[in-house]
PDB file of all heavy atoms in Angstrom:
ATOM      1  N   ILE A 209      27.964-106.990  25.733  1.00 88.00           N
ATOM      2  CA  ILE A 209      27.796-106.693  24.315  1.00 88.00           C
ATOM      3  C   ILE A 209      26.543-105.853  24.087  1.00 88.00           C
ATOM      4  O   ILE A 209      26.395-105.229  23.051  1.00 88.00           O
ATOM      5  CB  ILE A 209      27.753-107.973  23.459  1.00 88.00           C
ATOM      6  CG1 ILE A 209      26.640-108.917  23.901  1.00 88.00           C
ATOM      7  CG2 ILE A 209      29.078-108.664  23.482  1.00 88.00           C
ATOM      8  CD1 ILE A 209      26.450-110.107  22.993  1.00 88.00           C
ATOM      9  N   PRO A 214      19.386-101.937  33.634  1.00 84.00           N
ATOM     10  CA  PRO A 214      20.338-102.557  34.551  1.00 84.00           C
ATOM     11  C   PRO A 214      20.800-103.947  34.106  1.00 84.00           C
ATOM     12  O   PRO A 214      21.637-104.557  34.743  1.00 84.00           O
ATOM     13  CB  PRO A 214      19.549-102.651  35.859  1.00 84.00           C
ATOM     14  CG  PRO A 214      18.138-102.797  35.408  1.00 84.00           C
ATOM     15  CD  PRO A 214      18.023-101.967  34.158  1.00 84.00           C
ATOM     16  N   LEU A 229      19.278-123.323  21.686  1.00 94.00           N
ATOM     17  CA  LEU A 229      18.458-123.372  20.478  1.00 94.00           C
ATOM     18  C   LEU A 229      18.956-124.439  19.502  1.00 94.00           C
ATOM     19  O   LEU A 229      18.154-125.152  18.887  1.00 94.00           O
ATOM     20  CB  LEU A 229      18.417-122.006  19.801  1.00 94.00           C
ATOM     21  CG  LEU A 229      17.632-120.931  20.536  1.00 94.00           C
ATOM     22  CD1 LEU A 229      17.787-119.587  19.824  1.00 94.00           C
ATOM     23  CD2 LEU A 229      16.165-121.307  20.657  1.00 94.00           C
ATOM     24  N   ALA A 230      20.264-124.559  19.354  1.00 96.00           N
ATOM     25  CA  ALA A 230      20.817-125.587  18.467  1.00 96.00           C
ATOM     26  C   ALA A 230      20.500-126.990  18.990  1.00 96.00           C
ATOM     27  O   ALA A 230      20.122-127.882  18.217  1.00 96.00           O
ATOM     28  CB  ALA A 230      22.333-125.407  18.333  1.00 96.00           C
ATOM     29  N   ALA A 235      17.165-131.994  18.755  1.00 96.00           N
ATOM     30  CA  ALA A 235      16.175-132.865  19.394  1.00 96.00           C
ATOM     31  C   ALA A 235      14.876-132.910  18.590  1.00 96.00           C
ATOM     32  O   ALA A 235      14.260-133.980  18.466  1.00 96.00           O
ATOM     33  CB  ALA A 235      15.914-132.403  20.818  1.00 96.00           C
ATOM     34  N   ARG A 240      11.357-136.110  15.056  1.00 96.00           N
ATOM     35  CA  ARG A 240      10.667-136.290  13.772  1.00 96.00           C
ATOM     36  C   ARG A 240      11.182-137.517  13.035  1.00 96.00           C
ATOM     37  O   ARG A 240      10.411-138.238  12.407  1.00 96.00           O
ATOM     38  CB  ARG A 240      10.805-135.042  12.921  1.00 96.00           C
ATOM     39  CG  ARG A 240       9.974-133.900  13.462  1.00 96.00           C
ATOM     40  CD  ARG A 240       9.913-132.729  12.519  1.00 96.00           C
ATOM     41  NE  ARG A 240       9.046-131.705  13.079  1.00 96.00           N
ATOM     42  CZ  ARG A 240       9.394-130.454  13.231  1.00 96.00           C
ATOM     43  NH1 ARG A 240      10.594-130.037  12.866  1.00 96.00           N
ATOM     44  NH2 ARG A 240       8.549-129.580  13.746  1.00 96.00           N
ATOM     45  N   ASP A 247       5.459-132.517  21.012  1.00 93.00           N
ATOM     46  CA  ASP A 247       4.965-131.665  22.096  1.00 93.00           C
ATOM     47  C   ASP A 247       5.583-131.970  23.464  1.00 93.00           C
ATOM     48  O   ASP A 247       5.770-131.041  24.243  1.00 93.00           O
ATOM     49  CB  ASP A 247       3.434-131.676  22.153  1.00 93.00           C
ATOM     50  CG  ASP A 247       2.825-133.056  22.213  1.00 93.00           C
ATOM     51  OD1 ASP A 247       3.224-133.915  21.420  1.00 93.00           O
ATOM     52  OD2 ASP A 247       1.936-133.262  23.064  1.00 93.00           O
ATOM     53  N   ILE A 266      23.364-127.009  43.393  1.00 94.00           N
ATOM     54  CA  ILE A 266      23.371-127.878  44.578  1.00 94.00           C
ATOM     55  C   ILE A 266      24.648-128.703  44.619  1.00 94.00           C
ATOM     56  O   ILE A 266      25.293-128.825  45.669  1.00 94.00           O
ATOM     57  CB  ILE A 266      22.121-128.774  44.601  1.00 94.00           C
ATOM     58  CG1 ILE A 266      20.879-127.929  44.889  1.00 94.00           C
ATOM     59  CG2 ILE A 266      22.263-129.892  45.623  1.00 94.00           C
ATOM     60  CD1 ILE A 266      19.571-128.673  44.709  1.00 94.00           C
ATOM     61  N   TRP A 267      25.048-129.256  43.488  1.00 95.00           N
ATOM     62  CA  TRP A 267      26.264-130.072  43.421  1.00 95.00           C
ATOM     63  C   TRP A 267      27.482-129.228  43.792  1.00 95.00           C
ATOM     64  O   TRP A 267      28.329-129.652  44.574  1.00 95.00           O
ATOM     65  CB  TRP A 267      26.426-130.643  42.017  1.00 95.00           C
ATOM     66  CG  TRP A 267      27.521-131.656  41.872  1.00 95.00           C
ATOM     67  CD1 TRP A 267      28.863-131.427  41.901  1.00 95.00           C
ATOM     68  CD2 TRP A 267      27.354-133.052  41.670  1.00 95.00           C
ATOM     69  NE1 TRP A 267      29.546-132.588  41.712  1.00 95.00           N
ATOM     70  CE2 TRP A 267      28.643-133.611  41.562  1.00 95.00           C
ATOM     71  CE3 TRP A 267      26.252-133.876  41.537  1.00 95.00           C
ATOM     72  CZ2 TRP A 267      28.847-134.965  41.340  1.00 95.00           C
ATOM     73  CZ3 TRP A 267      26.462-135.226  41.317  1.00 95.00           C
ATOM     74  CH2 TRP A 267      27.746-135.763  41.236  1.00 95.00           C
ATOM     75  N   GLY A 295      26.224-131.989  38.317  1.00 95.00           N
ATOM     76  CA  GLY A 295      24.950-131.729  38.969  1.00 95.00           C
ATOM     77  C   GLY A 295      23.872-131.327  37.978  1.00 95.00           C
ATOM     78  O   GLY A 295      22.700-131.678  38.138  1.00 95.00           O
TER      79      GLY A 295
END
Side-chain angles (χ1 to χ4, degrees):
I209 57 173
L229 290 174
R240 288 189 177 127
D247 53 312
I266 290 170
W267 189 289

